[in-house]
Amino acid sequence: MASDDVASSAKAKYLQIADDLAAQIKSGGLAPGAAVPSEAGLMQRYGVASGTVRKAVAELRTAQLIETHHGRGSFVRSRPPVQRQSSDRFRRAHRNAGKAAYLAEAEATGGVPSVTVLFVGPAEAPLEIAERLSLPAGTQVLTRKRRYFRDGVPTEEAMSYLPWDVVKDIPEVFAENPGGGGIYARLEEHGHVLAEFTESVRARLATKPETAALALSPGSPVIHLVRNAITTDGRVVEVCDTIMAADQFVLDYRFAARD
């Protein structure tokens, strides 16, 4: 058999397996939250090699029918991705009401959100961050590293960088819990009124540390989002560098049409 025919046959096989499992999920044969049969089980059931099974499972992940957790296996998706409304999530009204953006968004999907603070303290600003903050590379800044969870599953990890001269007299931002409305509320209470946010977004494969932090399968995609928080006088008072499990989020943007 020609090599092209072999490749075509292999592709047809893993797509057939993916279609079969997708039909079971949609019919309820594999219920929401149920474990997908193991790789060994699928190999035996369909009489195929491990590589074919992995490609079939990858197809189901791409279709957002299942989610895979490192060390635990694959499960039928039981909740929709978090809908991240960028045009709404940083409204001042939310901060005044003491709402944290991620917690409110995760709750809206029916999930139980939580956050673990991994580090709060001084550090030297990396070059890209320093440039965004208009500071020399290596300048001391305050860093806040958090990991976010939904139903106990890690979904994103974020590191905030804040200029030391801005935050040194705001003791709340040095605490694990900065209070209702988060660090943006504390900044505004001390006169750093926020005017706009800019975000740079790209998709890429997770690094090994990111795979471990977010319990992802090797080769999983992530969303890498970097946000600047800018005050009314044009100063960037926070840069937030965030890694998000790509299958856990939908990013919604709204902007005006311009001439």
Side-chain angles (χ1 to χ4, degrees):
M1 183 181 292
S3 59
D4 287 349
D5 292 337
V6 171
S8 178
S9 176
K11 181 176 182 180
K13 189 63 179 178
Y14 80 72
L15 290 177
Q16 177 187 342
I17 296 169
D19 287 344
D20 186 30
L21 293 172
Q24 293 179 50
I25 292 170
K26 292 173 182 177
S27 70
L30 282 172
V36 175
S38 68
E39 182 177 304
L42 292 173
M43 289 169 61
Q44 184 176 12
R45 178 189 298 181
Y46 293 103
V48 295
S50 61
T52 302
V53 167
R54 289 171 189 165
K55 288 179 180 178
V57 170
E59 285 289 316
L60 296 175
R61 275 200 304 271
T62 300
Q64 298 199 355
L65 292 173
I66 67 170
E67 50 196 13
T68 302
H69 306 299
H70 185 64
R72 293 173 54 202
S74 297
F75 300 84
V76 178
R77 183 181 288 278
S78 58
R79 66 252 160 116
V82 172
Q83 200 83 11
R84 190 179 179 281
Q85 303 278 354
S86 289
S87 60
D88 178 76
R89 69 193 318 255
F90 296 124
R91 289 176 58 192
R92 189 165 288 109
H94 295 328
R95 295 197 290 278
N96 292 341
K99 294 180 180 179
Y102 175 82
L103 301 183
E105 290 166 344
E107 286 174 351
T109 68
V112 178
S114 59
V115 58
T116 296
V117 177
L118 303 174
F119 178 78
V120 179
E124 294 184 357
L127 176 59
E128 179 187 350
I129 302 300
E131 289 176 347
R132 286 173 173 266
L133 292 171
S134 298
L135 297 172
T139 299
Q140 179 175 279
V141 294
L142 175 66
T143 60
R144 297 181 55 88
K145 186 175 184 179
R146 296 90 64 203
R147 187 173 298 148
Y148 295 88
F149 299 78
R150 187 168 52 140
D151 297 334
V153 177
T155 58
E156 71 176 84
E157 192 167 272
M159 176 81 88
S160 287
Y161 301 85
L162 300 101
W164 195 263
D165 66 297
V166 169
V167 300
K168 61 184 176 64
D169 296 322
I170 310 178
E172 296 92 340
V173 301
F174 289 81
E176 286 194 7
N177 182 354
I183 59 175
Y184 291 160
R186 304 292 82 78
L187 287 168
E188 294 203 312
E189 288 169 358
H190 287 76
H192 305 286
V193 179
L194 298 170
E196 65 175 337
F197 302 90
T198 64
E199 293 184 339
S200 302
V201 182
R202 68 187 179 104
R204 58 172 173 77
L205 298 182
T207 64
K208 286 186 178 180
E210 292 163 357
T211 296
L214 298 181
L216 301 172
S217 297
S220 293
V222 292
I223 299 168
H224 187 181
L225 184 151
V226 184
R227 179 176 64 254
N228 291 359
I230 307 167
T231 63
T232 52
D233 61 4
R235 182 171 187 184
V236 177
V237 292
E238 184 229 21
V239 175
C240 187
D241 191 336
T242 304
I243 300 298
M244 310 161 73
D247 66 339
Q248 296 289 333
F249 294 90
V250 174
L251 307 187
D252 277 348
Y253 292 91
R254 182 179 66 187
F255 42 88
R258 297 183 181 276
D259 293 335

